[in-house]
């Protein structure tokens, strides 16, 4: 499967770990994906921060976090543009 950005948005930043992907788009949209057991990426959640993101980071997944799937990664961090 191929994923394309919504509308005329562009990918500004991305961060990945073993099973998660966070993508920051122009305008402050954050998209969260998880790698399913079958190897497909599935979009799990979107957030609109309403401002461009300067950087983002998602740390390695802990075994405890791996058991609690389907939630926005609480340890992920973003830095808004000033």
């Amino acid at each position: 499967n191929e994923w394309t950005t919504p509308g005329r948005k562009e990918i500004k930043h991305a961060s990945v770990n073993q099973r998660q992907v966070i993508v920051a788009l122009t305008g402050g949209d954050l998209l969260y994906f998880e790698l399913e057991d079958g190897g497909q990426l599935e979009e799990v959640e979107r957030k609109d921060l309403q401002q461009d993101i300067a950087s983002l980071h998602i740390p390695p997944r802990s075994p405890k976090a791996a058991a609690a799937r389907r939630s926005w990664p609480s340890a992920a961090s973003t830095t808004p543009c000033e």
Side-chain angles (χ1 to χ4, degrees):
N1 292 347
E2 183 175 319
W3 179 83
T4 58
T5 60
R8 298 182 148 216
K9 302 275 183 169
E10 294 180 5
I11 295 173
K12 300 306 279 181
H13 305 283
S15 183
V16 301
N17 65 22
Q18 299 92 329
R19 299 192 63 87
Q20 299 170 302
V21 178
I22 295 180
V23 177
L25 302 177
T26 52
D29 291 337
L30 286 177
L31 290 82
Y32 169 55
F33 298 86
E34 285 189 357
L35 182 64
E36 298 298 318
D37 292 333
Q40 293 286 96
L41 275 179
E42 181 176 343
E43 185 178 327
V44 175
E45 190 172 346
R46 287 181 186 220
K47 289 189 177 187
D48 182 1
L49 300 182
Q50 300 181 352
Q51 60 184 342
D52 283 333
I53 304 300
S55 66
L56 58 96
H57 171 73
I58 186 168
R61 241 179 125 140
S62 70
K64 183 178 180 181
R69 299 189 62 179
R70 300 275 171 217
S71 60
W72 191 266
S74 60
S77 60
T78 61
T79 305
C81 289
E82 303 262 338

Coordinates of all heavy atoms in Angstrom, one line a residue:
N1 N 0.8 -1.2 0.0 CA 0.0 0.0 0.0 C 0.9 1.2 0.0 O 1.9 1.3 0.6 CB -0.9 0.0 1.2 CG -1.9 -1.1 1.2 OD1 -2.2 -1.7 0.2 ND2 -2.6 -1.3 2.3
E2 N 0.4 2.3 -0.6 CA 1.1 3.5 -0.7 C 0.3 4.6 0.1 O -0.9 4.7 -0.1 CB 1.3 4.0 -2.1 CG 2.1 5.2 -2.2 CD 2.4 5.6 -3.7 OE1 2.7 4.7 -4.5 OE2 2.3 6.8 -4.0
W3 N 1.0 5.4 0.9 CA 0.3 6.4 1.7 C 0.8 7.8 1.0 O 1.9 8.0 0.7 CB 0.8 6.4 3.1 CG 0.2 7.4 4.0 CD1 -1.0 7.4 4.6 CD2 0.8 8.7 4.3 NE1 -1.2 8.6 5.3 CE2 -0.1 9.4 5.1 CE3 2.0 9.3 4.0 CZ2 0.2 10.6 5.7 CZ3 2.3 10.5 4.6 CH2 1.4 11.2 5.4
T4 N -0.2 8.7 0.9 CA 0.1 10.0 0.4 C -0.4 11.0 1.5 O -1.3 10.7 2.2 CB -0.6 10.3 -0.9 OG1 -2.0 10.1 -0.8 CG2 -0.1 9.4 -2.0
T5 N 0.2 12.2 1.5 CA -0.1 13.2 2.4 C -1.5 13.7 2.1 O -1.9 13.8 0.9 CB 0.9 14.3 2.5 OG1 0.9 14.9 1.1 CG2 2.2 13.9 2.9
P6 N -2.3 14.1 3.1 CA -3.6 14.7 2.8 C -3.5 16.1 2.2 O -2.7 16.9 2.6 CB -4.3 14.7 4.2 CG -3.2 14.7 5.1 CD -2.0 14.0 4.5
G7 N -4.4 16.3 1.2 CA -4.4 17.6 0.5 C -3.1 18.0 0.0 O -2.4 17.3 -0.6
R8 N -2.7 19.3 0.2 CA -1.4 19.8 -0.3 C -0.4 19.9 0.9 O 0.6 20.6 0.8 CB -1.6 21.2 -0.9 CG -2.5 21.1 -2.1 CD -2.7 22.4 -2.7 NE -2.8 22.1 -4.2 CZ -2.4 22.9 -5.1 NH1 -1.7 24.0 -4.8 NH2 -2.6 22.6 -6.4
K9 N -0.5 19.1 1.9 CA 0.4 19.1 3.0 C 1.7 18.4 2.6 O 1.7 17.6 1.7 CB -0.2 18.3 4.2 CG -1.5 18.8 4.7 CD -1.3 19.9 5.7 CE -2.6 20.4 6.3 NZ -2.4 21.2 7.4
E10 N 2.8 18.8 3.3 CA 4.1 18.2 3.0 C 4.6 17.6 4.3 O 4.3 18.2 5.4 CB 5.1 19.3 2.5 CG 4.8 19.9 1.2 CD 5.8 20.9 0.7 OE1 6.8 21.1 1.4 OE2 5.6 21.5 -0.3
I11 N 5.4 16.6 4.2 CA 6.1 16.0 5.4 C 7.2 16.9 5.8 O 8.1 17.2 4.9 CB 6.6 14.6 5.1 CG1 5.4 13.7 4.8 CG2 7.4 14.1 6.2 CD1 5.8 12.3 4.4
K12 N 7.2 17.4 7.0 CA 8.3 18.3 7.5 C 9.3 17.5 8.3 O 10.5 17.7 8.3 CB 7.7 19.4 8.3 CG 6.8 20.3 7.5 CD 7.3 20.8 6.3 CE 8.2 22.0 6.5 NZ 8.8 22.6 5.3
H13 N 8.8 16.6 9.1 CA 9.7 15.8 10.0 C 9.0 14.4 10.2 O 7.8 14.3 10.1 CB 9.8 16.4 11.4 CG 10.4 17.8 11.3 ND1 11.7 18.1 11.0 CD2 9.7 19.0 11.4 CE1 11.8 19.4 11.0 NE2 10.7 20.0 11.3
A14 N 9.8 13.4 10.6 CA 9.3 12.1 11.0 C 10.3 11.5 12.0 O 11.5 11.8 12.0 CB 9.2 11.2 9.7
S15 N 9.7 10.6 12.8 CA 10.5 9.9 13.8 C 9.9 8.5 13.9 O 8.7 8.3 13.8 CB 10.4 10.6 15.1 OG 11.3 9.9 16.1
V16 N 10.8 7.5 14.0 CA 10.4 6.1 14.1 C 11.1 5.3 15.2 O 12.2 5.7 15.6 CB 10.6 5.3 12.7 CG1 9.9 6.0 11.6 CG2 12.1 5.2 12.4
N17 N 10.4 4.2 15.6 CA 11.1 3.3 16.5 C 10.7 1.9 15.9 O 10.4 1.8 14.7 CB 10.8 3.4 17.9 CG 9.3 3.2 18.3 OD1 8.6 2.5 17.5 ND2 8.9 3.7 19.4
Q18 N 10.8 0.8 16.7 CA 10.6 -0.5 16.1 C 9.3 -0.7 15.5 O 9.1 -1.5 14.6 CB 10.8 -1.6 17.3 CG 12.2 -1.6 17.9 CD 12.3 -0.7 19.1 OE1 11.6 0.4 19.2 NE2 13.2 -1.0 20.0
R19 N 8.2 -0.1 16.1 CA 6.9 -0.4 15.6 C 6.0 0.9 15.5 O 4.8 0.7 15.2 CB 6.2 -1.4 16.6 CG 6.9 -2.7 16.6 CD 6.1 -3.7 17.3 NE 4.9 -4.1 16.7 CZ 4.7 -5.0 15.7 NH1 5.8 -5.6 15.2 NH2 3.6 -5.3 15.2
Q20 N 6.6 2.1 15.7 CA 5.8 3.3 15.6 C 6.4 4.3 14.7 O 7.6 4.4 14.6 CB 5.6 3.9 17.0 CG 4.9 3.0 18.0 CD 5.1 3.5 19.4 OE1 6.2 3.7 19.9 NE2 4.0 3.8 20.0
V21 N 5.5 5.1 14.1 CA 6.0 6.2 13.2 C 5.2 7.4 13.6 O 3.9 7.4 13.7 CB 5.8 5.9 11.7 CG1 6.2 7.1 10.8 CG2 6.5 4.6 11.3
I22 N 5.8 8.6 13.7 CA 5.1 9.9 13.9 C 5.6 10.8 12.8 O 6.8 10.9 12.5 CB 5.4 10.5 15.2 CG1 4.8 9.7 16.4 CG2 4.8 11.9 15.3 CD1 5.1 10.3 17.7
V23 N 4.6 11.4 12.1 CA 4.9 12.3 11.0 C 4.4 13.6 11.3 O 3.2 13.7 11.6 CB 4.3 11.7 9.7 CG1 4.6 12.6 8.5 CG2 4.9 10.3 9.4
A24 N 5.2 14.7 11.1 CA 4.7 16.1 11.2 C 4.5 16.6 9.8 O 5.5 16.6 9.0 CB 5.7 16.9 12.0
L25 N 3.4 17.2 9.6 CA 3.1 17.8 8.3 C 3.0 19.3 8.4 O 3.0 19.8 9.5 CB 1.7 17.3 7.8 CG 1.5 15.8 7.6 CD1 0.1 15.5 7.2 CD2 2.5 15.2 6.6
T26 N 3.1 20.0 7.3 CA 3.0 21.5 7.3 C 1.6 21.8 8.0 O 0.7 21.1 7.9 CB 3.0 22.0 5.9 OG1 2.1 21.3 5.1 CG2 4.4 21.9 5.3
G27 N 1.7 22.9 8.8 CA 0.5 23.4 9.4 C 0.2 22.8 10.8 O -0.7 23.1 11.5
G28 N 1.1 21.9 11.2 CA 1.0 21.3 12.6 C 0.3 20.0 12.7 O 0.0 19.6 13.9
D29 N 0.0 19.4 11.7 CA -0.7 18.1 11.8 C 0.3 17.0 12.1 O 1.4 16.9 11.5 CB -1.4 17.7 10.4 CG -2.6 18.5 10.1 OD1 -3.2 19.1 11.0 OD2 -2.9 18.6 8.9
L30 N 0.0 16.2 13.2 CA 0.8 15.1 13.5 C 0.0 13.8 13.2 O -1.2 13.7 13.6 CB 1.1 15.1 15.0 CG 2.1 16.1 15.5 CD1 2.2 16.0 17.0 CD2 3.5 15.8 14.9
L31 N 0.7 12.8 12.6 CA 0.0 11.6 12.3 C 0.8 10.5 13.0 O 2.1 10.4 13.0 CB 0.0 11.3 10.8 CG -0.9 12.2 10.0 CD1 -0.3 13.5 9.8 CD2 -1.3 11.5 8.8
Y32 N 0.1 9.5 13.6 CA 0.7 8.4 14.4 C 0.3 7.1 13.7 O -0.9 6.9 13.5 CB 0.2 8.5 15.8 CG 0.6 7.3 16.6 CD1 1.9 6.8 16.7 CD2 -0.4 6.5 17.3 CE1 2.2 5.7 17.4 CE2 -0.1 5.4 18.1 CZ 1.2 5.0 18.1 OH 1.5 3.9 18.8
F33 N 1.3 6.3 13.4 CA 1.1 5.0 12.7 C 1.8 3.9 13.6 O 2.7 4.2 14.3 CB 1.8 5.0 11.4 CG 1.3 6.0 10.4 CD1 1.8 7.3 10.3 CD2 0.4 5.6 9.4 CE1 1.4 8.2 9.4 CE2 0.0 6.5 8.5 CZ 0.4 7.8 8.5
E34 N 1.2 2.7 13.5 CA 1.8 1.6 14.2 C 2.0 0.5 13.1 O 1.2 0.3 12.2 CB 0.9 1.0 15.3 CG 0.9 1.8 16.5 CD 0.2 1.2 17.7 OE1 -0.4 0.1 17.6 OE2 0.3 1.8 18.8
L35 N 3.1 -0.3 13.3 CA 3.3 -1.4 12.4 C 2.6 -2.6 12.9 O 2.7 -3.0 14.1 CB 4.8 -1.7 12.4 CG 5.3 -2.9 11.5 CD1 5.0 -2.5 10.0 CD2 6.8 -3.1 11.7
E36 N 1.7 -3.1 12.1 CA 0.9 -4.3 12.5 C 1.7 -5.6 12.4 O 2.7 -5.6 11.7 CB -0.4 -4.4 11.6 CG -1.3 -3.2 11.7 CD -1.9 -3.0 13.1 OE1 -2.3 -4.0 13.7 OE2 -1.9 -1.9 13.6
D37 N 1.2 -6.6 13.0 CA 1.9 -7.9 13.0 C 2.2 -8.4 11.6 O 3.1 -9.1 11.3 CB 1.2 -8.9 13.8 CG 1.2 -8.6 15.3 OD1 2.2 -7.9 15.8 OD2 0.3 -9.0 16.0
G38 N 1.3 -8.1 10.7 CA 1.4 -8.5 9.3 C 2.4 -7.7 8.5 O 2.6 -7.9 7.3
G39 N 3.0 -6.6 9.1 CA 3.9 -5.8 8.4 C 3.4 -4.6 7.7 O 4.1 -3.8 7.1
Q40 N 2.1 -4.3 7.9 CA 1.5 -3.1 7.3 C 1.5 -2.0 8.3 O 1.2 -2.2 9.5 CB 0.0 -3.4 6.9 CG -0.1 -4.3 5.7 CD 0.3 -3.7 4.4 OE1 1.4 -3.8 4.0 NE2 -0.6 -3.0 3.8
L41 N 1.7 -0.7 7.9 CA 1.6 0.4 8.7 C 0.1 0.8 8.7 O -0.5 0.9 7.7 CB 2.4 1.6 8.2 CG 3.8 1.7 8.6 CD1 4.5 2.9 8.0 CD2 4.0 1.7 10.1
E42 N -0.4 1.1 9.9 CA -1.8 1.5 10.0 C -1.9 2.9 10.8 O -1.2 3.0 11.8 CB -2.6 0.5 10.8 CG -4.1 0.9 11.0 CD -4.9 -0.1 11.7 OE1 -4.5 -1.3 11.8 OE2 -6.0 0.2 12.1
E43 N -2.6 3.8 10.2 CA -2.7 5.1 10.8 C -3.7 4.9 12.0 O -4.8 4.4 11.9 CB -3.3 6.2 9.9 CG -3.4 7.5 10.5 CD -3.9 8.6 9.6 OE1 -3.7 8.5 8.3 OE2 -4.6 9.5 10.1
V44 N -3.2 5.3 13.2 CA -3.9 5.1 14.5 C -4.6 6.4 14.9 O -5.7 6.4 15.4 CB -3.0 4.6 15.6 CG1 -3.7 4.5 16.9 CG2 -2.4 3.2 15.1
E45 N -3.9 7.5 14.8 CA -4.4 8.8 15.3 C -3.8 10.0 14.6 O -2.7 9.9 14.1 CB -4.1 8.9 16.8 CG -4.8 10.0 17.5 CD -4.6 9.9 19.1 OE1 -4.2 8.9 19.6 OE2 -5.0 10.9 19.7
R46 N -4.6 11.1 14.6 CA -4.1 12.4 14.1 C -4.3 13.4 15.2 O -5.3 13.4 15.9 CB -4.9 12.8 12.9 CG -4.6 12.0 11.6 CD -5.5 12.6 10.5 NE -5.3 11.7 9.3 CZ -5.1 12.2 8.1 NH1 -5.3 13.5 7.9 NH2 -4.9 11.4 7.1
K47 N -3.4 14.4 15.2 CA -3.6 15.6 16.1 C -3.3 16.8 15.3 O -2.4 16.8 14.5 CB -2.7 15.5 17.3 CG -3.1 14.4 18.3 CD -2.3 14.6 19.6 CE -2.7 13.5 20.6 NZ -2.1 13.7 21.9
D48 N -4.0 17.9 15.5 CA -3.7 19.1 14.9 C -3.2 20.1 15.9 O -4.0 20.5 16.8 CB -5.0 19.7 14.2 CG -4.7 21.0 13.5 OD1 -3.6 21.5 13.4 OD2 -5.7 21.5 12.9
L49 N -1.9 20.4 15.9 CA -1.4 21.4 16.9 C -1.5 22.8 16.4 O -1.1 23.7 17.2 CB 0.1 21.0 17.2 CG 0.3 19.6 17.7 CD1 1.8 19.4 18.0 CD2 -0.5 19.3 18.9
Q50 N -2.0 23.0 15.2 CA -2.3 24.3 14.7 C -1.1 25.3 14.6 O -1.2 26.5 14.6 CB -3.4 25.0 15.5 CG -4.7 24.2 15.4 CD -5.8 24.8 16.2 OE1 -5.7 25.8 16.9 NE2 -7.0 24.2 16.0
Q51 N 0.1 24.7 14.6 CA 1.3 25.4 14.3 C 2.4 24.5 13.8 O 2.3 23.3 14.1 CB 1.8 26.2 15.5 CG 2.2 25.3 16.7 CD 2.5 26.2 17.9 OE1 2.9 27.3 17.8 NE2 2.5 25.6 19.1
D52 N 3.3 25.0 12.9 CA 4.3 24.1 12.4 C 5.2 23.5 13.5 O 5.4 24.2 14.5 CB 5.2 24.8 11.4 CG 4.5 25.0 10.0 OD1 3.6 24.2 9.7 OD2 4.8 26.0 9.3
I53 N 5.7 22.3 13.3 CA 6.5 21.6 14.2 C 8.0 21.7 13.8 O 8.3 21.5 12.6 CB 6.1 20.1 14.3 CG1 4.6 20.0 14.7 CG2 7.0 19.4 15.3 CD1 4.2 20.6 16.0
A54 N 8.8 22.2 14.7 CA 10.3 22.3 14.4 C 11.0 21.0 14.5 O 12.0 20.8 13.7 CB 10.9 23.4 15.3
S55 N 10.6 20.1 15.4 CA 11.3 18.8 15.5 C 10.4 17.9 16.3 O 9.4 18.3 17.0 CB 12.6 19.0 16.3 OG 12.4 19.4 17.6
L56 N 10.6 16.6 16.2 CA 9.9 15.6 17.0 C 10.8 14.4 17.2 O 11.7 14.2 16.5 CB 8.5 15.3 16.3 CG 8.5 14.7 14.9 CD1 8.5 13.2 15.0 CD2 7.3 15.2 14.2
H57 N 10.4 13.6 18.2 CA 11.2 12.4 18.6 C 10.3 11.4 19.2 O 9.4 11.8 20.0 CB 12.3 12.8 19.5 CG 13.0 11.6 20.1 ND1 13.9 10.9 19.4 CD2 12.9 11.1 21.3 CE1 14.3 9.9 20.1 NE2 13.7 10.0 21.3
I58 N 10.4 10.2 18.8 CA 9.7 9.1 19.5 C 10.8 8.1 19.9 O 11.6 7.6 19.2 CB 8.7 8.4 18.6 CG1 7.9 7.3 19.3 CG2 9.3 7.8 17.3 CD1 6.7 6.8 18.6
P59 N 10.9 7.8 21.3 CA 11.9 7.0 21.8 C 11.6 5.5 21.5 O 10.5 5.1 21.1 CB 11.8 7.2 23.3 CG 10.4 7.6 23.5 CD 10.0 8.3 22.3
P60 N 12.6 4.6 21.7 CA 12.4 3.2 21.6 C 11.2 2.7 22.4 O 11.0 3.3 23.5 CB 13.7 2.5 22.0 CG 14.7 3.6 21.9 CD 14.0 4.9 22.1
R61 N 10.5 1.8 22.0 CA 9.3 1.3 22.7 C 9.7 0.3 23.8 O 10.5 -0.6 23.6 CB 8.5 0.5 21.8 CG 7.1 1.0 21.6 CD 6.3 0.2 20.7 NE 5.1 -0.2 21.3 CZ 4.0 -0.3 20.7 NH1 3.9 0.1 19.5 NH2 2.9 -0.6 21.4
S62 N 9.2 0.6 25.0 CA 9.5 -0.3 26.1 C 8.6 -1.6 26.0 O 7.5 -1.5 25.4 CB 9.2 0.4 27.5 OG 7.8 0.6 27.6
P63 N 9.0 -2.7 26.7 CA 8.1 -3.9 26.6 C 6.7 -3.6 27.2 O 5.7 -4.1 26.7 CB 8.8 -4.9 27.5 CG 10.3 -4.5 27.4 CD 10.2 -2.9 27.3
K64 N 6.6 -2.7 28.3 CA 5.3 -2.4 28.9 C 4.5 -1.6 27.9 O 3.3 -1.9 27.8 CB 5.6 -1.5 30.1 CG 4.3 -1.2 30.9 CD 4.6 -0.4 32.1 CE 3.4 -0.1 32.9 NZ 3.6 0.7 34.1
A65 N 5.1 -0.7 27.2 CA 4.3 0.1 26.2 C 3.9 -0.8 25.0 O 2.8 -0.6 24.4 CB 5.2 1.3 25.7
A66 N 4.7 -1.8 24.7 CA 4.3 -2.7 23.6 C 3.0 -3.4 23.9 O 2.2 -3.8 23.0 CB 5.4 -3.6 23.3
A67 N 2.8 -3.7 25.1 CA 1.6 -4.4 25.5 C 0.4 -3.5 25.5 O -0.7 -4.0 25.3 CB 1.8 -5.0 27.0
A68 N 0.5 -2.2 25.6 CA -0.6 -1.3 25.6 C -0.6 -0.6 24.3 O -0.3 0.5 24.1 CB -0.4 -0.3 26.7
R69 N -1.1 -1.3 23.3 CA -1.1 -0.8 21.9 C -2.3 0.2 21.7 O -3.2 0.3 22.5 CB -1.2 -1.9 20.9 CG 0.0 -2.8 21.0 CD 0.0 -3.8 20.0 NE 0.1 -3.0 18.7 CZ 0.2 -3.6 17.6 NH1 0.2 -4.8 17.4 NH2 0.3 -2.8 16.5
R70 N -2.3 0.9 20.6 CA -3.4 1.7 20.2 C -3.5 3.0 20.9 O -4.6 3.5 21.2 CB -4.7 1.0 20.2 CG -4.7 -0.2 19.3 CD -5.0 0.3 17.9 NE -4.8 -0.8 17.0 CZ -4.4 -0.6 15.8 NH1 -4.1 0.6 15.4 NH2 -4.3 -1.5 14.9
S71 N -2.4 3.5 21.4 CA -2.5 4.8 22.1 C -1.4 5.7 21.6 O -0.3 5.2 21.3 CB -2.5 4.6 23.6 OG -1.3 4.0 24.0
W72 N -1.7 7.0 21.7 CA -0.6 8.0 21.3 C 0.6 7.8 22.2 O 0.4 7.7 23.4 CB -1.2 9.4 21.4 CG -0.3 10.4 20.8 CD1 0.6 11.1 21.5 CD2 -0.3 10.8 19.5 NE1 1.3 12.0 20.6 CE2 0.7 11.8 19.4 CE3 -1.0 10.4 18.3 CZ2 1.0 12.4 18.2 CZ3 -0.7 11.1 17.1 CH2 0.3 12.0 17.1
P73 N 1.8 7.7 21.7 CA 2.9 7.4 22.5 C 3.2 8.6 23.5 O 3.5 9.7 23.1 CB 4.1 7.2 21.5 CG 3.6 7.8 20.2 CD 2.1 7.8 20.3
S74 N 3.1 8.4 24.8 CA 3.2 9.4 25.8 C 4.6 10.0 25.8 O 4.7 11.1 26.3 CB 2.7 8.9 27.1 OG 3.5 7.8 27.5
A75 N 5.6 9.2 25.5 CA 6.9 9.7 25.6 C 7.4 10.5 24.3 O 8.5 11.1 24.3 CB 7.9 8.6 25.8
A76 N 6.5 10.6 23.3 CA 6.9 11.3 22.1 C 7.0 12.8 22.4 O 6.2 13.3 23.2 CB 5.9 11.0 21.0
S77 N 7.9 13.5 21.8 CA 8.0 14.9 22.1 C 8.0 15.7 20.8 O 8.5 15.2 19.8 CB 9.3 15.2 22.9 OG 10.4 14.8 22.2
T78 N 7.5 16.9 20.8 CA 7.5 17.8 19.7 C 8.0 19.2 20.1 O 7.8 19.5 21.3 CB 6.1 17.9 19.1 OG1 5.2 18.5 20.1 CG2 5.5 16.6 18.6
T79 N 8.5 19.9 19.2 CA 8.9 21.3 19.4 C 8.2 22.2 18.4 O 8.5 22.0 17.2 CB 10.5 21.4 19.3 OG1 11.1 20.5 20.2 CG2 10.9 22.8 19.6
P80 N 7.4 23.1 18.9 CA 6.7 24.0 17.9 C 7.7 25.0 17.4 O 8.6 25.4 18.0 CB 5.6 24.6 18.7 CG 6.0 24.4 20.1 CD 6.9 23.3 20.2
C81 N 7.4 25.5 16.1 CA 8.2 26.6 15.6 C 7.8 27.8 16.3 O 6.7 28.0 16.7 CB 7.9 26.7 14.1 SG 8.5 25.4 13.0
E82 N 8.8 28.7 16.5 CA 8.6 30.0 17.2 C 8.3 31.0 16.2 O 8.7 31.1 15.2 CB 9.8 30.3 18.0 CG 10.2 29.3 19.0 CD 9.6 29.5 20.4 OE1 9.4 30.7 20.7 OE2 9.5 28.6 21.2

